[in-house]
Amino acid sequence: MPRIMLSVIVAAATLAACTSGGSSTPGSTSTTTDHTAGAPTPRHTAPPAIATGWPTYHGNNMRTGVSPARPLQPPLQRAWATRLDGAVYAQPLVIGRVLVAATENNTVYALDATTGRRIWKHHLGSPVPLQDLPCGNIDPLGITGTPVYDAQSGSVFVATETTGGHHTLHALDLRTGRERWHRGLDVYPARDRAAEQQRSALLLTHGRVYVAFGGLFGDCGNYVGYVAAVGTDGSGPILHYAVPTAREAGIWSPAGPVQGKTLSDIFVASGNGAEVGGSYDGSDSVIRLTPTLHEVGLFAPSTWSADNAADLDLGSSSPVPLPSGQTVIAGKRGTVYLLDPDLGGVGGERAALDGCAAYGGAALAGARTVLMPCSDGVRRLNLGAHSMHWSWRLDGVAGSP
């Protein structure tokens, strides 16, 4: 059963009017531009050449979570605050002087990152009330996964959930806020789309936006974990990959899909699946995908069957690619695994270490140091080529570093 880590954040984004392409979006959309707050005047020109500071979850496609900026000296003080129209689960983006934030009310905001003044906001349809969902714990349910910014096209990509259980990818012009196109992401019609939830961060690489899906809190309904990929121009077929299990195996970690060292690898972690005693079904795993979403590698703990039965799977955090080509992953059981580049298959870890039930995205502080989001506090993990050991733990600070 998934757990959600709630981030209450105030952020800023730049969006405006709405044009459409591809499938229609349920619900209505609207954009408000506040020119008194220093917003750029909408105009139909080339995409803006804006320096990108934090364009995706944890800053980059490997989700290292480390900023090159000089850290502020304590004590930290609030610089500004801006009230938004709903809860914020997604990590805000910082693109030049623009801060982009998205809410569970399906509204995207562009704010001045220095002052907090609103530049524009764009409402992308009615979110789903909790009473209309088969289970869950977010009310209402709108935008949960962290958006991503594409410097080449100047687009912000965001995934919404709207009434009727529709999941839609929107491309929004950062400069003007206009919607350039949108595509529906419900690519498995035999599944219950009302039981699917998009809560992982979006990944942009190889000219595509990758969007992962899991289930609602409570694991109800006929859903399965899957990844869909759409071209950044909105055209062409929607590529997709689903975990080969009968049900569940959600891909729901906040960090979402992660790009590996070789740039041709995309890693995801899946949750507990339907099988609890027969043949292995691909769940409770780290999955290595190509940019066209073909599976080329996999790791699962030898305890996968017991993990599935007791909800102790790897789906609560995302894989951590290392510069060496190895990968680190920890899940709900509390065991950390060090994996070789080929991942190793079932029970094929290079090393294992107890001590961290992980929920969220880790941070990579150097080539062989990982800060893990453990449920009892952030822990520093030191890595050798064939071993791991703990350094320190900051008690009582649970969440994604």
Side-chain angles (χ1 to χ4, degrees):
M1 181 184 301
R3 283 175 48 182
I4 284 188
M5 310 304 288
L6 170 62
S7 299
V8 181
I9 303 169
V10 178
T14 51
L15 305 173
C18 176
T19 59
S20 65
S23 59
S24 62
T25 304
S28 60
T29 66
S30 62
T31 305
T32 302
T33 303
D34 187 353
H35 298 290
T36 65
T41 302
R43 56 183 179 178
H44 301 287
T45 58
I50 297 177
T52 299
W54 202 262
T56 187
Y57 182 94
H58 269 28
N60 53 53
N61 285 357
M62 291 182 69
R63 315 302 198 196
T64 60
V66 176
S67 171
R70 181 187 179 99
L72 297 175
Q73 297 300 309
L76 300 180
Q77 297 179 347
R78 186 173 71 179
W80 53 263
T82 298
R83 183 174 296 277
L84 308 183
D85 69 357
V88 176
Y89 280 61
Q91 197 174 96
L93 308 181
V94 180
I95 305 150
R97 292 182 57 189
V98 176
L99 189 151
V100 178
T103 75
E104 292 292 346
N105 194 44
N106 277 333
T107 303
V108 183
Y109 288 82
L111 309 178
D112 186 299
T114 303
T115 66
R117 290 186 178 183
R118 193 182 79 197
I119 299 171
W120 50 256
K121 71 174 184 178
H122 192 146
H123 184 64
L124 292 167
S126 300
V128 185
L130 183 59
Q131 65 185 22
D132 292 348
L133 296 169
C135 61
N137 62 351
I138 301 177
D139 188 17
L141 182 60
I143 300 169
T144 306
T146 299
V148 65
Y149 171 67
D150 177 26
Q152 183 171 352
S153 67
S155 295
V156 174
F157 299 97
V158 59
T160 61
E161 180 153 347
T162 51
T163 52
H166 298 278
H167 302 90
T168 307
L169 179 66
H170 303 261
L172 304 169
D173 188 317
L174 176 66
R175 183 185 292 277
T176 68
R178 295 184 181 274
E179 184 175 51
R180 289 173 163 158
W181 54 262
H182 56 259
R183 297 288 298 272
L185 296 171
D186 297 301
V187 294
Y188 290 97
R191 300 290 179 175
D192 180 5
R193 69 186 182 211
E196 303 274 7
Q197 185 180 18
Q198 201 294 303
R199 64 175 83 186
S200 291
L202 279 55
L203 175 71
L204 190 148
T205 184
H206 294 279
R208 300 184 183 95
V209 182
Y210 296 83
V211 188
F213 287 82
L216 299 164
F217 182 84
D219 280 341
C220 59
N222 179 26
Y223 80 89
V224 68
Y226 72 93
V227 182
V230 182
T232 55
D233 62 359
S235 65
I238 298 178
L239 307 180
H240 47 90
Y241 165 87
V243 180
T245 185
R247 198 177 75 84
E248 301 184 282
I251 301 172
W252 62 275
S253 166
V258 179
Q259 190 167 31
K261 175 191 175 184
T262 66
L263 304 185
S264 60
D265 291 330
I266 297 172
F267 296 99
V268 295
S270 69
N272 51 296
E275 189 59 65
V276 294
S279 300
Y280 177 62
D281 62 355
S283 61
D284 185 25
S285 60
V286 176
I287 303 167
R288 179 181 162 209
L289 301 169
T290 67
T292 53
L293 296 183
H294 291 91
E295 182 183 316
V296 291
L298 178 143
F299 164 77
S302 58
T303 56
W304 67 266
S305 179
D307 289 352
N308 280 355
D311 189 25
L312 293 175
D313 53 87
L314 295 176
S316 57
S317 68
S318 288
V320 182
L322 304 174
S324 65
Q326 293 178 304
T327 302
V328 167
I329 185 73
K332 302 175 194 172
R333 176 173 284 278
T335 303
V336 185
Y337 300 96
L338 176 63
L339 311 177
D340 285 334
D342 65 356
L343 299 184
V346 177
E349 68 270 14
R350 170 61 60 182
L353 178 67
D354 290 334
C356 179
Y359 292 87
L364 183 62
R368 308 299 298 185
T369 301
V370 180
L371 302 181
M372 299 293 292
C374 308
S375 59
D376 59 352
V378 173
R379 298 196 68 166
R380 173 174 168 148
L381 179 68
N382 294 333
L383 303 163
H386 308 290
S387 63
M388 300 179 286
H389 68 272
W390 296 114
S391 176
W392 50 257
R393 183 178 69 200
L394 187 59
D395 292 336
V397 180
S400 302

